Amino acid sequence: MSHSKLPDTGTTIFTVMSQLATEYNAINLGQGFPDFNMSEELISLVNKAMLNGYNQYVHTNGLGVLREKLAVKAEKLYKTNINPETQITVTPGGTYAIYTALTAILQKDDEVIVFEPAYDSYIPNIIINGAKPVLVQLQFPGYSIPWDEVKNKITRKTKAIIINSPHNPTGMVLSETDIEELKSITQNTNILIVSDEVYEHLIFDDIPHRSILRYPELLERSFVCFSFGKTYNCTGWKVGYCISSALLMKEFRKVHQFNCFSCNSFVQYALAEFLDNEEAYLFLGNFIQRKRDYLQSLMKQTGFNAIPSHGSYFQCYSYKDISEENDMDFAIRLTKEVGVTTVPLSSFYQSKKDDKVLRFCFAKKEETLRLASERLQNL
Ligand code: PMP
């Protein structure tokens, strides 16, 4: 199209790699979704809600009882006092929440600080709103944030900073020092924060999740985005929510009400009931950590080198001891010739920076991980 609003945006790498995996019948450790079963109890609750007739529109901000339960959860986990009436909106997924937040605040020519490697929706979300992504690369190989560079890139036009912890694709998690830096950079400014916390429960090694919800001075300038898909191993359900200050939420809802209006009803009834079961989300970190560790132990038999991951569904592995190919070619060859699909890290950089690293999704059955690593040993 001659006047495309996103002239440089193609098909997301996740779709590209998943299609390739299907075509070549490869084991798909590319896209981030579990291949194991979700809770049957939660499925029954959804069935029950539908059969009980909860099939009509619910409130545009989300089912009241669900928002109340989410406020209680936030209070328990992060010692924060959230008003479910004014500060929580249920959304069709975390990605939608991020898009809605950015659309609610961005004006033409605003600047948004984005850390790379970056989840692939952020930059198109900024550009479609007429704003400009200002890129800061995390420091390879630890993927820590270079705060001095962030400070240097802040201008009068900086409207927001997007943060993501635990981080996709690297598994990096924010430390208390990062939070202090964020506080000091934003205090006495109008800079807003969009915090992508969809992996809040997928955090390992006894590290606490440093949710923005814990820090009132940050929360007042933040949209914090969550995903039930990640919390309950049901990524296909596409339900999430956003928590922010009441002032920011008012703007968020102006966009939301004329975009999706309200999310599917029966899942919200089911989630509201299931949230009483704290174990269902509290056990998740350990459960997924065991999968990270299992894949890591198997990968020792291969030429890949693990880069530490402390959260998310993902771990990055360097293949520089195996091949000098660029990461895209290498990932395609792995799918076609070895039968294992991953995601090349260059696809998370605008510059296509190639550190010879692939992202592996370990949220899979042990059998899947074992089979994949056996194939990789033959390289
Ligand atoms: N943010 C990040 C960093 C993600 O990895 C994902 C899932 N791929 C999302 C947001 C989206 O979550 P949802 O499926 O709920 O839209």
Side-chain angles (χ1 to χ4, degrees):
M1 186 176 129
S2 59
H3 296 295
S4 169
K5 293 181 81 175
L6 294 170
D8 301 323
T9 300
T11 307
T12 152
I13 186 71
F14 310 123
T15 305
V16 171
M17 294 312 291
S18 284
Q19 254 171 17
L20 207 64
T22 310
E23 203 179 315
Y24 285 87
N25 204 15
I27 300 170
N28 190 354
L29 304 187
Q31 204 170 356
F33 59 85
D35 71 345
F36 45 86
N37 290 339
M38 62 170 296
S39 156
E40 282 186 16
E41 187 190 341
L42 181 51
I43 293 174
S44 307
L45 289 172
V46 172
N47 286 336
K48 187 178 85 177
M50 291 179 99
L51 291 169
N52 284 347
Y54 294 128
N55 298 300
Q56 308 307 328
Y57 290 134
V58 298
H59 194 283
T60 175
N61 299 336
L63 187 69
V65 60
L66 175 57
R67 284 182 282 132
E68 280 162 25
K69 296 271 179 81
L70 289 171
V72 170
K73 180 185 176 207
E75 209 276 328
K76 271 197 188 142
L77 291 181
Y78 304 125
K79 312 276 173 285
T80 181
N81 190 6
I82 303 292
N83 181 337
E85 275 300 307
T86 57
Q87 291 185 264
I88 305 180
T89 300
V90 179
T91 63
T95 316
Y96 172 102
I98 295 160
Y99 176 78
T100 304
L102 291 168
T103 302
I105 58 172
L106 291 180
Q107 311 266 4
K108 191 170 174 313
D109 297 329
D110 280 346
E111 294 177 359
V112 182
I113 305 263
V114 180
F115 297 107
E116 284 193 317
Y119 179 59
D120 69 347
S121 76
Y122 303 154
I123 291 173
N125 285 183
I126 294 165
I127 294 172
I128 204 155
N129 281 295
K132 187 179 153 211
V134 174
L135 307 175
V136 175
Q137 285 182 2
L138 300 177
Q139 287 164 312
F140 181 74
Y143 297 108
S144 55
I145 298 180
W147 286 106
D148 284 341
E149 191 183 336
V150 178
K151 279 176 213 155
N152 289 336
K153 287 196 167 159
I154 290 197
T155 72
R156 277 181 307 108
K157 291 184 178 171
T158 308
K159 178 55 85 52
I161 301 177
I162 303 179
I163 56 170
N164 170 216
S165 177
H167 183 253
N168 176 7
T170 69
M172 173 275 281
V173 297
L174 291 184
S175 67
E176 204 54 41
T177 318
D178 291 317
I179 297 290
E180 288 309 318
E181 292 280 5
L182 194 58
K183 281 186 194 166
S184 101
I185 280 182
T186 52
Q187 75 182 359
N188 302 322
T189 73
N190 293 322
I191 298 172
L192 302 175
I193 297 164
V194 175
S195 183
D196 180 346
E197 302 189 14
V198 300
Y199 297 107
E200 71 175 319
H201 296 300
L202 294 153
I203 186 159
F204 319 136
D205 310 314
D206 294 324
I207 300 172
H209 172 52
R210 293 188 173 82
S211 174
I212 291 296
L213 301 185
R214 291 180 192 270
Y215 311 96
E217 66 272 54
L218 291 178
L219 179 57
E220 70 176 17
R221 59 173 77 244
S222 299
F223 296 94
V224 191
C225 304
F226 299 94
S227 170
F228 287 110
K230 310 290 174 180
T231 302
Y232 293 130
N233 304 315
C234 53
T235 59
W237 285 16
K238 296 298 298 186
V239 195
Y241 58 101
C242 180
I243 299 183
S244 71
S245 69
L247 202 68
L248 291 177
M249 189 50 79
K250 217 168 143 189
E251 297 306 308
F252 183 99
R253 288 173 175 174
K254 287 179 190 172
V255 180
H256 167 72
Q257 73 172 339
F258 295 123
N259 197 1
C260 98
F261 179 67
S262 82
C263 299
N264 69 78
S265 51
F266 41 89
V267 167
Q268 294 190 63
Y269 280 95
L271 288 170
E273 203 170 328
F274 199 57
L275 272 170
D276 291 337
N277 178 356
E278 291 178 21
E279 275 305 298
Y281 52 82
L282 292 179
F283 100 113
L284 193 66
N286 279 339
F287 173 70
I288 299 283
Q289 176 177 334
R290 283 201 293 277
K291 293 185 179 296
R292 177 204 61 178
D293 294 345
Y294 184 60
L295 178 64
Q296 218 168 281
S297 68
L298 295 168
M299 292 291 278
K300 289 205 172 105
Q301 321 298 319
T302 73
F304 287 88
N305 292 308
I307 297 172
S309 159
H310 299 292
S312 80
Y313 279 160
F314 309 110
Q315 180 144 27
C316 290
Y317 283 85
S318 162
Y319 63 87
K320 73 173 177 5
D321 293 345
I322 303 174
S323 166
E324 289 184 352
E325 277 164 279
N326 76 51
D327 65 355
M328 193 62 170
D329 289 349
F330 187 61
I332 291 172
R333 187 162 71 81
L334 278 192
T335 298
K336 290 184 178 174
E337 293 176 15
V338 183
V340 177
T341 297
T342 58
V343 178
L345 228 66
S346 64
S347 56
F348 298 88
Y349 291 93
Q350 291 299 291
S351 63
K352 304 293 168 224
K353 181 171 184 268
D354 178 14
D355 292 313
K356 313 276 177 249
V357 171
L358 301 177
R359 186 194 80 171
F360 287 70
C361 172
F362 49 71
K364 305 288 174 189
K365 290 184 235 169
E366 287 202 348
E367 181 193 337
T368 312
L369 298 174
R370 188 174 42 75
L371 218 67
S373 75
E374 278 168 12
R375 292 184 182 184
L376 295 172
Q377 284 172 29
N378 301 328
L379 265 174

